[in-house]
């Protein structure tokens, strides 16, 4: 029962020692592909579903619920004063608001009231109203990963699209605006 | 100015690392002693400047210098000092700096402890380590510089460290873990050096082994601390989640454990060399792949770092260069190695080979499971995640034979062991283990669960068989005589020496540690009692013979959080055991709510209270746990590490450059 490894292996030694390299190359190709994919681009479970029920206050102290967001096509933009990307995104939101193409509502996420209000005062307010969600509970129900995120909501209050990360002129013009226009017509 | 000094140090370290990578290697081929001699000073210089950069970053945290983006994002003036110091490694940029620092530390340690090595070897080893340093320093400087200043308005206060990380676990876990898997770079460098020179001998294995051992000890403790931290802090009562980040540290551990065992064969029998070199490359490669998975954002994980596609691409290219070159070198050199391994089917070699194969296959299945979502996604089949059921099943099945054979392995001999003799020796022990595994749980719990019988049986089998083998070794037989004398001669039948070699003692403790962990896993999974319930002040709940009484709540003001603290008295048979104080904390800066579980600990069981949400009438949602033997999981890991430490004190590895393996 003596196992003579040398006899078995000498024939195919090179192919055997090459094997780890080949396996690694396959892995590397997989990784390279993986880099192009975005694990955060999870299809939101809520797309095609109505906005979750909520009753909260706005930044200026009025009560707001999901009913106030029905009957019009709108953007719901999740932001916070501590979020640097939101500041970058803010200029684009101001442009969109000024063009009157769509209504923008804000969802202020895990923020402080003073900080959020002074942020709007300092940089301008593109929002019709901003829902104040200091605990992030509504955002949790909405399936927010992080800020900024933007949801496109149709007239029936149903979520139609979700943008993870900032809105840029590019994705606004090419994706969100066309979609909003078709929703407006329907 | 501090951040600029830090930045400067980091860039200088990169330059030195580049020189360290090129000059000694060049010198080793040109036989230029001056250039080879540059290896040590360059390595030490590189380490010094990384250390300086690290110290500067720490000082920025201590000073609350929020003009530095990294500090502003991960610290806060209210954060306690100890966490400000540890916050340095609380996120990607800083923990990468820690990575490089530890790599530099290992490099410096090689300089210091390898005085007896041939000049060419040390030059090449340090040069290989230098290349790894270059890769990571460039990564840090180019894509993840922690010293970047905020342009424009400097925030008055920072965003605070992630509350999950504000736990004593943060102090020990990451440095230990990094010491472990960065430490495998040394074994890797030795392996590459050996391949470059084409000399794979017992001396190479002997040099590699203590370094591998130290790295393995750190990794064992690091993983243990991580598991303990998850158990305390995540509030779910679990201690292992098969999360990609956990897997990233566990795969190198499995491969490293295989490497340790195969180094024994390479050192003592001068065989398995090609395989051992491959394992050394594999172990470090798995460390690098883990780093890639955690930091590139290709996988979602509970604790993956903030991601940036540039970073992912950079590490992937680095990964391809390091692993690609190593494996090419391996394919090119290793197939020319003369293999002359002759051993019987039942022999210590076979057992160690089995250990290696099972551990590597286990690491591979974990890699597969970790990458599975990525594979499916890459093939366009949608997004899925592979959960604990996959890992538990596959890993469990692979561990069964490993644990079974592990018990007998120490009793086998090199080259040849008679199967019959082995059977005769062990069948009594095996029967005792099985009987105990059935009788003990039945006697104590009055029920039989197959999982318990298997788990407990294997653990007892390992402990008893290992102890039996050791006891037998303590009867010392003068070796030469034994083989020369005719059978039946009783002149030197054996003397009870009462001493055992260091290496045997180390093995015994480490193997028993494995069994202890197994007992902890088996019993804590099989007999836990859990209750989720609503409790108002004055209510009493009974969980597994223990009464939990909700006394009351009070508000508490921590340094950077506000909390509600509940008092819960635990008693048994009317006798008070402990006051427990679970907390619900809200961290001021981030507004994040955290549950701080309270645990009553003893070696036989943990009693665990975790808070849910406050309900009406001062009531709280609560989760109460009784977890028997859960401490044994970590105790076993400590024993394994202790075994490693004892193996390290073996005289073979201290000095003695001309030791020749048997």
């Amino acid at each position: 029962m003596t196992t003579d490894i040398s006899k078995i292996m000498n024939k195919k030694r090179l192919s055997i020692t090459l094997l780890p390299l080949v396996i690694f190359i396959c892995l590397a190709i997989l990784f390279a592909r993986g880099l192009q994919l975005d694990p955060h681009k999870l299809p939101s479970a809520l797309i095609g579903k109505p906005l979750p029920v909520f009753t909260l206050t706005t930044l200026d102290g009025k009560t707001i619920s999901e009913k106030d967001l029905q009957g019009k096509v709108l953007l719901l933009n999740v932001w916070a004063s501590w979020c640097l990307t939101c500041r970058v995104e803010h200029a684009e939101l101001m442009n969109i608001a000024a063009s009157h193409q769509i209504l923008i509502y804000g969802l202020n996420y895990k923020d402080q009231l003073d900080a959020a209000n002074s942020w709007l005062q300092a940089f301008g307010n593109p929002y019709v109203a901003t829902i104040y969600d200091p605990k992030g509970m509504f955002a949790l129900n909405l399936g927010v990963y992080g800020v900024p995120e933007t949801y496109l909501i149709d007239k029936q209050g149903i979520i139609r699209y979700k943008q993870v990360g900032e809105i840029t002129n590019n994705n606004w013009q090419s994706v969100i605006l066309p979609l909003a226009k078709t929703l407006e017509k329907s | 100015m501090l951040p600029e000094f830090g930045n400067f140090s980091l860039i200088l370290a990169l330059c030195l690392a580049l020189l360290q990578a090129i000059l000694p290697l060049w010198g080793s081929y040109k036989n230029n002693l001056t250039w080879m001699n540059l290896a040590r000073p360059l390595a030490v210089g590189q380490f010094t400047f990384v250390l300086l950069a690290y110290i500067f970053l720490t000082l920025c945290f201590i000073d609350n210098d929020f003009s530095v983006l990294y500090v502003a994002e991960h610290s806060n003036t209210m954060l306690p000092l100890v966490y400000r110091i540890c916050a340095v490694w609380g996120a990607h940029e800083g923990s990468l700096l820690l990575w490089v620092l530890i790599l530099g530390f290992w490099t410096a340690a090689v300089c210091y402890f390898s005085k007896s090595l041939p000049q060419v070897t040390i030059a090449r080893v340090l040069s290989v380590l230098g290349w790894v340093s270059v890769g990571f320093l460039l990564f840090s400087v180019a894509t993840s510089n922690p010293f970047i200043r905020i342009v424009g308005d400097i925030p008055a206060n920072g965003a605070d460290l992630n509350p999950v990380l504000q736990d004593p676990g943060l102090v020990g876990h990451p440095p230990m873990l990094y010491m472990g898997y960065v430490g495998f770079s040394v074994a890797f460098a030795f392996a590459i050096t050996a391949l470059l020179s084409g000399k794979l001998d017992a001396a190479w294995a002997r040099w590699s082994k203590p370094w591998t051992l130290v790295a393995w000890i750190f990794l064992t403790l690091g993983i243990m601390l991580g598991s303990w931290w998850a158990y305390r802090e995540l509030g779910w009562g679990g201690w292992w989640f098969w999360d990609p980040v956990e897997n990233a540290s566990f795969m190198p551990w499995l491969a490293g454990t295989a490497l340790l065992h195969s180094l024994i064969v390479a050192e003592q029998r001068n065989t398995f060399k090609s395989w051992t070199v491959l394992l050394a490359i594999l172990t470090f490669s798995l460390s690098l792949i883990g780093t890639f998975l955690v930091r590139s954002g290709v996988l979602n994980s509970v604790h993956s770092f903030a991601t940036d596609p540039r970073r992912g691409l950079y590490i992937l290219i680095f990964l391809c260069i390091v692993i690609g070159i190593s494996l090419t070198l391996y394919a090119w050199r290793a197939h020319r190695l003369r293999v002359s391994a002759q051993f019987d089917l039942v022999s210590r070699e076979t057992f160690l080979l089995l250990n290696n194969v099972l551990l590597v296959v286990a690491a591979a299945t974990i890699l597969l499971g970790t990458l599975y979502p990525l594979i499916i996604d890459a093939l366009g089949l949608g997004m899925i995640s592979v959960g604990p059921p996959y890992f538990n099943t596959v890993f469990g099945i692979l561990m069964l034979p490993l644990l079974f054979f592990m018990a007998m392995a120490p009793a086998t001999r090199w080259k040849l062991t008679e199967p019959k003799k082995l059977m005769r020796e062990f069948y009594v022990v095996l029967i005792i283990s099985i009987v105990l595994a059935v009788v003990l749980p039945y006697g104590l719990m009055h029920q039989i669960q197959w999982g318990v019988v298997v788990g407990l049986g294997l653990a007892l089998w390992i402990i008893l068989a290992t102890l039996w083998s050791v006891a037998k070794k303590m009867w010392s037989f003068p070796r030469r005589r034994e083989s020369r004398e005719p059978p039946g001669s009783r002149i030197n039948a054996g003397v009870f020496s009462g001493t055992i070699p260091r290496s045997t003692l180390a093995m015994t403790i480490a193997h028993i540690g494995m069994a202890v962990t197994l007992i902890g896993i088996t019993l804590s999974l099989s007999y836990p009692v859990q209750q989720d319930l609503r409790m108002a002040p004055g209510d009493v709940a009974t969980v597994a013979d223990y009464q939990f009484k909700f006394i009351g709540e009070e508000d508490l003001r921590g340094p950077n959080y506000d909390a509600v603290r509940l008092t819960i008295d635990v008693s048994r048979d009317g006798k008070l055991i402990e006051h427990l104080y679970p907390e619900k904390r809200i961290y001021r800066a981030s507004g994040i709510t955290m549950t701080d579980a309270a645990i009553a600990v003893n070696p036989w069981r943990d009693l665990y209270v975790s808070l849910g949400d406050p309900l009406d009438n001062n009531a709280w949602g609560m989760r109460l746990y009784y977890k028997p033997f859960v401490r044994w999981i970590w105790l076993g890991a400590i024993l394994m590490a202790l075994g490693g430490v004892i193996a390290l004190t073996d005289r073979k590895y201290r000095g003695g450059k001309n030791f020749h393996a048997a």
Side-chain angles (χ1 to χ4, degrees):
Chain A
M1 279 306 290
T2 300
T3 320
D4 189 343
I5 292 187
S6 59
K7 272 185 196 159
I8 310 164
M9 287 182 79
N10 272 338
K11 288 183 204 160
K12 295 186 175 173
R13 280 196 66 75
L14 184 60
S15 57
I16 286 175
T17 53
L18 264 175
L19 194 64
L21 184 64
V22 174
I23 295 174
F24 174 70
I25 290 171
C26 296
L27 265 185
I29 293 170
L30 177 69
F31 288 158
R33 180 85 187 92
L35 276 183
Q36 296 159 11
L37 303 167
D38 184 0
H40 298 293
K41 225 182 220 159
L42 286 171
S44 169
L46 287 179
I47 286 183
K49 301 249 170 70
L51 266 182
V53 178
F54 71 97
T55 309
L56 286 165
T57 53
T58 60
L59 282 184
D60 41 16
K62 293 181 194 116
T63 305
I64 188 166
S65 75
E66 78 285 351
K67 298 208 173 60
D68 298 301
L69 272 64
Q70 280 166 5
K72 53 215 165 192
V73 177
L74 58 90
L75 289 181
L76 181 60
N77 172 250
V78 188
W79 65 280
S81 67
W82 43 262
C83 151
L84 286 175
T85 318
C86 300
R87 213 147 110 185
V88 178
E89 183 190 40
H90 190 263
E92 184 56 33
L93 290 177
M94 290 301 282
N95 287 338
I96 295 171
S99 71
H100 297 291
Q101 285 167 310
I102 196 166
L103 296 175
I104 308 176
Y105 281 78
L107 173 58
N108 180 259
Y109 176 69
K110 292 190 177 176
D111 209 344
Q112 270 145 12
L113 199 59
D114 300 343
N117 274 320
S118 50
W119 197 82
L120 288 181
Q121 259 167 22
F123 303 110
N125 186 352
Y127 307 112
V128 179
T130 300
I131 305 160
Y132 181 49
D133 187 19
K135 295 249 167 89
M137 287 315 291
F138 175 49
L140 188 71
N141 292 337
L142 199 56
V144 171
Y145 283 111
V147 277
E149 270 182 24
T150 304
Y151 295 79
L152 178 64
I153 318 255
D154 73 6
K155 289 176 191 164
Q156 286 75 41
I158 290 169
I159 301 169
R160 289 299 178 187
Y161 183 78
K162 174 180 175 183
Q163 169 72 35
V164 179
E166 64 196 282
I167 288 191
T168 59
N169 189 266
N170 189 16
N171 60 31
W172 164 244
Q173 296 289 353
S174 63
V175 183
I176 304 170
L177 183 59
L179 193 57
K181 277 182 178 161
T182 51
L183 289 176
E184 194 69 54
K185 281 173 201 152
S186 62
Chain B
M1 280 309 281
L2 284 179
E4 280 70 32
F5 282 136
N7 210 346
F8 183 65
S9 305
L10 203 58
I11 292 169
L12 214 57
L14 173 62
C15 299
L16 287 175
L18 205 60
L19 293 177
Q20 176 199 337
I22 297 170
L23 294 183
L25 192 64
W26 186 262
S28 79
Y29 280 102
K30 294 283 158 195
N31 230 343
N32 185 328
L33 211 60
T34 322
W35 286 9
M36 283 197 270
N37 280 335
L38 278 174
R40 282 175 216 258
L42 282 171
V44 172
Q46 187 243 117
F47 172 58
T48 310
F49 280 102
V50 176
L51 183 64
L52 278 177
Y54 187 84
I55 290 171
F56 286 129
L57 186 61
T58 309
L59 288 176
C60 290
F61 268 94
I62 294 175
D63 283 355
N64 291 317
D65 185 351
F66 297 129
S67 71
V68 179
L69 183 65
Y70 184 70
V71 179
E73 283 178 348
H74 302 287
S75 188
N76 188 286
T77 46
M78 288 186 295
L79 191 65
L81 182 65
V82 59
Y83 291 132
R84 289 219 297 277
I85 294 171
C86 296
V88 174
W89 60 72
H92 168 74
E93 289 85 347
S95 68
L96 188 68
L97 189 60
L98 180 69
W99 218 109
V100 187
L101 178 72
I102 287 176
L103 184 58
F105 171 81
W106 279 103
T107 311
V110 171
C111 294
Y112 184 78
F113 286 107
S114 302
K115 299 230 163 78
S116 60
L117 252 56
Q119 197 61 41
V120 180
T121 308
I122 188 73
R124 286 181 182 164
V125 168
L126 290 177
S127 165
V128 173
L129 287 170
W131 282 111
V132 180
S133 288
V134 168
F136 276 96
L137 280 167
L138 195 63
F139 183 36
S140 180
V141 171
T143 72
S144 317
N145 194 327
F147 295 105
I148 287 175
R149 295 257 200 185
I150 292 177
V151 186
D153 300 342
I154 295 166
N157 209 339
D160 206 359
L161 181 65
N162 185 346
V164 180
L165 302 179
Q166 298 185 30
D167 180 271
L170 175 72
V171 180
H173 166 59
M176 283 282 188
L177 204 63
Y178 285 16
M179 279 299 281
Y181 64 67
V182 178
F184 286 129
S185 61
V186 181
F188 169 79
F190 273 107
I192 296 297
T193 306
L195 283 176
L196 284 175
S197 62
K199 254 177 39 189
L200 285 170
D201 46 16
W204 156 75
R206 203 170 56 251
W207 292 329
S208 300
K209 202 175 155 205
W211 295 103
T212 311
L213 201 54
V214 178
W216 180 86
I217 293 167
F218 277 112
L219 190 58
T220 307
L221 291 175
I223 293 175
M224 183 213 91
L225 280 172
S227 150
W228 172 72
W229 177 15
Y231 174 76
R232 285 164 44 92
E233 191 63 16
L234 295 179
W236 311 327
W239 41 267
W240 191 259
F241 301 98
W242 297 110
D243 178 84
V245 175
E246 286 173 329
N247 295 347
S249 66
F250 195 46
M251 290 183 291
W253 188 85
L254 290 169
T257 309
L259 176 61
L260 270 185
H261 287 89
S262 98
L263 276 170
I264 297 173
V265 193
E267 182 189 359
Q268 300 197 2
R269 307 298 308 166
N270 209 12
T271 57
F272 279 22
K273 286 181 295 189
S274 162
W275 170 244
T276 308
V277 163
L278 181 61
L279 268 182
I281 296 174
L282 214 63
T283 306
F284 186 59
S285 299
L286 283 171
S287 300
L288 291 179
I289 289 176
T291 309
F292 169 75
L293 292 179
V294 176
R295 291 167 194 270
S296 66
V298 295
L299 291 170
N300 265 322
S301 152
V302 181
H303 34 1
S304 58
F305 292 91
T307 54
D308 173 349
R310 269 192 320 152
R311 288 177 189 160
L313 188 65
Y314 181 93
I315 315 182
L316 182 60
I317 293 171
F318 179 60
L319 210 64
C320 288
I321 294 173
V322 175
I323 304 178
I325 291 180
S326 313
L327 291 178
T328 311
L329 188 67
Y330 173 78
W332 176 43
R333 290 284 180 147
H335 85 272
R336 293 187 205 170
L337 275 177
R338 292 229 359 233
V339 181
S340 54
Q342 291 198 346
F343 51 86
D344 209 71
L345 186 64
V346 182
S347 63
R348 185 172 281 189
E349 282 93 334
T350 315
F351 274 77
L352 284 164
L353 188 64
L354 199 65
N355 150 303
N356 275 223
V357 170
L358 287 169
L359 284 170
V360 170
V361 171
T365 43
I366 293 177
L367 184 65
L368 182 69
T370 311
L371 294 180
Y372 195 66
L374 182 60
I375 297 171
I376 296 295
D377 195 11
L379 296 175
L381 299 174
M383 303 261 319
I384 59 130
S385 69
V386 180
Y390 163 83
F391 290 108
N392 288 339
T393 313
V394 178
F395 188 70
I397 288 173
L398 283 168
M399 286 301 107
L400 287 180
L402 182 79
L403 295 167
F404 182 79
F405 289 116
M406 173 182 161
M408 289 187 292
T412 55
R413 289 152 172 258
W414 295 115
K415 291 188 84 164
L416 167 92
T417 304
E418 272 181 57
K420 273 187 195 156
K421 210 178 141 211
L422 205 61
M423 296 293 276
R424 212 181 314 135
E425 217 175 290
F426 280 106
Y427 81 96
V428 180
V429 180
L430 185 61
I431 290 171
I432 294 175
S433 312
I434 295 172
V435 169
L436 281 179
V438 174
V439 169
L440 280 182
Y442 188 75
L444 295 171
M445 306 297 298
H446 308 292
Q447 53 163 329
I448 298 255
Q449 285 184 29
W450 288 113
V452 178
V453 173
V454 173
L456 201 61
L458 277 171
L460 289 167
W461 162 235
I462 293 171
I463 294 174
L464 295 176
T466 309
L467 288 177
W468 168 245
S469 312
V470 173
K472 249 184 40 190
K473 262 193 194 167
M474 285 158 85
W475 290 88
S476 61
F477 295 91
R479 237 178 244 160
R480 298 255 162 94
R481 289 261 178 106
E482 191 197 21
S483 54
R484 281 180 193 170
E485 269 172 36
S489 163
R490 296 267 166 187
I491 301 167
N492 259 308
V495 188
F496 185 73
S497 63
T499 58
I500 47 174
R502 278 288 162 84
S503 57
T504 310
L505 181 65
M507 179 277 298
T508 310
I509 291 178
H511 282 199
I512 288 178
M514 184 72 233
V516 167
T517 296
L518 180 62
I519 293 175
I521 293 173
T522 307
L523 297 183
S524 71
L525 286 182
S526 304
Y527 300 116
V529 183
Q530 179 196 333
Q531 268 193 39
D532 293 311
L533 72 178
R534 173 189 190 279
M535 281 181 91
D539 284 0
V540 179
T542 303
V543 175
D545 300 345
Y546 295 89
Q547 285 82 44
F548 293 74
K549 185 171 187 194
F550 182 5
I551 303 293
E553 66 171 70
E554 59 187 318
D555 289 334
L556 203 74
R557 208 178 144 77
N560 56 340
Y561 59 86
D562 297 304
V564 181
R565 192 175 86 163
L566 271 60
T567 305
I568 289 168
D569 283 358
V570 187
S571 53
R572 187 182 193 180
D573 305 328
K575 249 174 64 186
L576 180 74
I577 295 174
E578 208 168 321
H579 304 287
L580 289 178
Y581 304 105
E583 289 179 20
K584 197 88 180 174
R585 294 177 177 175
I586 296 177
Y587 285 82
R588 281 179 217 126
S590 54
I592 294 176
T593 312
M594 286 287 304
T595 292
D596 197 46
I599 309 171
V601 178
N602 87 14
W604 312 109
R605 50 97 190 117
D606 272 18
L607 302 169
Y608 190 113
V609 180
S610 176
L611 291 184
D613 290 316
L615 305 168
D616 49 341
N617 299 330
N618 296 325
W620 282 82
M622 264 182 231
R623 171 168 287 190
L624 309 177
Y625 272 123
Y626 159 78
K627 281 188 177 282
F629 287 85
V630 69
R631 295 282 139 184
W632 287 45
I633 298 173
W634 306 304
L635 176 69
I638 293 173
L639 286 177
M640 287 185 239
L642 181 66
V645 172
I646 291 171
L648 208 57
T649 59
D650 197 320
R651 210 179 304 129
K652 264 190 292 190
Y653 305 118
R654 285 176 295 173
K657 57 181 168 181
N658 289 323
F659 175 86
H660 282 285

